[in-house]
Amino acid sequence: MVREDELRAAERAVEWPEAVDAGLVYIGRIHTPWTSRLDCPRQGRLDGPTCRIEVFQPWDQALAGIAEFERLEVLYWLHRSRRDLVLQSPKSDGATRGTFSLRSPVRPNPIGTSMVALVGIEGSTLLVRGLDCLDGTPLIDLKPDRCAFTPLAPPTPGDSDVGDP
Ligand code: SAM
C-alpha cells in the first residue's frame, strides 16, 4: 500500500547512522506522468506511458552507443522515501516483513531499478517505457540489458548453474 512517511502498526525503524559511505552523483532526472505516490505504478510495464530520461552534461557523452539496445536497465534514487525501516507492513495490517524481502521504495539505500524499452532518443534525452517512479526522480545509472551480452567464455565447473539438472 502507498505510504507517505508514517510508521504503521508493528513496523520498526532504526537509528540512522551519522556517517554515510558513498557519494552518489545524480547523472540526470526522470520525467514521468506521476506526481503522487497514489498514482504511481508499483512496477513499471513495457506497455506503460512513454517517460523521458534527461541525462545531464557531461554524462550525456556516456550515451554513445546506447541506441543499439532495445532494453535498458535504469537505476534511480527514490528520493522521497524514508530510509530507516527494517520491518515493514505493506498491507498496513500489522503483519510485517523485513525490508530486504520487499521491493518497497523504503530501504536504507533507496535505489529503484526497472528494465525499460528504449523507444527513442532526442539529443541527451531517452524516451522509454517501463518506469514506475515519480516525476523528478534522480537518475543514478543506465546499463544495457544484461541478456544482450554474450559470455566471453563458455561456462566451466564452478560457475553457477553448470551441472545443475
Ligand atoms: N521498480 C523499482 C524496483 O523494483 O526497484 C521500484 C519499485 S517501488 C515498489 C515503486 C514505488 O515507489 C512507486 O509505486 C511509488 O509508490 C514509489 N516511488 C516512486 N518514485 C519515488 C521516489 N522518487 N521517491 C519515493 N518513492 C517513490
Side-chain angles (χ1 to χ4, degrees), residues 4 7 25 45 82 127 165:
E4 290 298 337
L7 195 62
V25 174
R45 299 169 50 120
R82 64 183 292 166
L127 278 56

Side-chain angles (χ1 to χ4, degrees), residues 65-139:
I66 207 156
E68 292 168 28
F69 298 97
E70 290 178 7
R71 299 271 189 275
L72 299 176
E73 194 173 353
V74 183
L75 288 81
Y76 37 98
W77 191 256
L78 297 159
H79 64 313
R80 284 172 45 186
S81 291
R82 64 183 292 166
R83 301 174 63 176
D84 58 344
L85 295 194
V86 289
L87 292 180
Q88 301 185 39
S89 181
K91 295 181 181 164
S92 285
D93 61 357
T96 58
R97 296 182 66 99
T99 291
F100 302 140
S101 70
L102 295 167
R103 291 204 71 103
S104 160
V106 176
R107 45 205 324 113
N109 295 307
I111 294 171
T113 65
S114 287
M115 193 61 72
V116 303
L118 177 61
V119 296
I121 301 179
E122 294 176 359
S124 56
T125 297
L126 306 181
L127 278 56
V128 304
R129 290 180 186 272
L131 282 172
D132 54 14
C133 59
L134 295 171
D135 189 43
T137 294
L139 175 69

